[in-house]
Amino acid sequence: MSARKPLLSRVPADFVRAVLKGHSALASVPVWTDELDYWRAVYSWLHVGFGAGYSGIGELTARLGTLSVHGIAPILLYALPASLFGWSYASIVILNSVWISLGALLYVLLCRPKALAGVLLGAGLVIYAPVILYCVTSMTELANYGLLLMYLALLARLYQSRHRARELPAKRRSLAGGIALLACTAVVLLCCAYRITYVVLWLPLLWI
């Protein structure tokens, strides 16, 4: 149960919204300004790469490059699967589910939460207001929560490898800690590319 609850928590949220609204979440179409900008950034990159020309919101352009005000974040989050499986209006909705599921899966595999913790995590995701609001949109909040779950899981494993796994040989502890540190660093870099305020996520890495 501990593994199933977090992994499936996004699916009931989409299902409930679909039932209440009478529409399928897969029929979602980006309409908000930010949604359109995220979707168009990936669409442009798929067709012309980084030479996409002008793209922006409110006549604003990025100081560096041609990727609009959201920078490279939409490309990092969605471009690879989009290049493999295609790009439709509902692609961000689907990929957001993948991101948050990957985050929950990593959390379950590394932290091994008890059944009650899994239930609470899954229930928290289902009833969390931003999840309900954005689960059928092309906003990036759900991908953001998936990245944070990855970060927390890797941070917990890093802490464990350095402070609690004393029964393991020193070389094995060092290897496990090094892998966790590299993976956590990669996630933080991706988070910072998404939103620069996540620079504070470096602090626990320095403290641990």
Side-chain angles (χ1 to χ4, degrees):
M1 180 179 292
S2 61
R4 292 177 181 175
K5 280 291 183 178
L7 291 176
L8 296 180
S9 59
R10 165 67 195 272
V11 178
D14 282 344
F15 177 75
V16 170
R17 286 292 298 269
V19 171
L20 292 177
K21 294 290 185 178
H23 301 287
S24 170
L26 299 181
S28 175
V29 176
V31 292
W32 294 341
T33 303
D34 281 352
E35 288 184 287
L36 292 169
D37 193 61
Y38 294 134
W39 190 91
R40 185 70 189 187
V42 178
Y43 178 86
S44 298
W45 185 86
L46 290 174
H47 287 79
V48 295
F50 288 107
Y54 172 81
S55 177
I57 296 177
E59 301 300 322
L60 299 174
T61 58
R63 293 183 178 181
L64 180 65
T66 58
L67 292 175
S68 184
V69 295
H70 291 114
I72 200 171
I75 309 301
L76 295 176
L77 291 171
Y78 307 118
L80 178 58
S83 64
L84 296 175
F85 303 107
W87 193 242
S88 69
Y89 289 135
S91 290
I92 293 181
V93 176
I94 298 170
L95 292 175
N96 281 343
S97 295
V98 173
W99 273 109
I100 201 167
S101 296
L102 288 175
L105 176 62
L106 188 64
Y107 177 81
V108 168
L109 292 176
L110 295 184
C111 298
R112 302 287 183 180
K114 295 181 180 180
L116 179 59
V119 170
L120 292 176
L121 176 60
L125 286 172
V126 169
I127 66 175
Y128 187 46
V131 172
I132 298 173
L133 176 62
Y134 295 120
C135 66
V136 292
T137 72
S138 293
M139 300 295 284
T140 56
E141 271 67 18
L142 274 296
N144 166 54
Y145 302 147
L147 289 174
L148 289 177
L149 280 173
M150 293 181 187
Y151 171 78
L152 292 174
L154 291 167
L155 190 67
R157 174 50 64 93
L158 179 60
Y159 178 85
Q160 183 182 37
S161 67
R162 291 184 175 178
H163 298 281
R164 295 186 177 179
R166 301 302 182 187
E167 69 279 3
L168 296 176
K171 289 185 177 180
R172 187 174 177 183
R173 288 203 309 269
S174 178
L175 178 62
I179 294 174
L181 179 60
L182 287 174
C184 205
T185 298
V187 171
V188 173
L189 287 172
L190 182 55
C191 286
C192 289
Y194 169 78
R195 189 166 290 164
I196 192 58
T197 51
Y198 281 136
V199 68
V200 298
L201 297 181
W202 290 111
L203 297 179
L205 294 182
L206 298 175
W207 176 70
I208 287 179

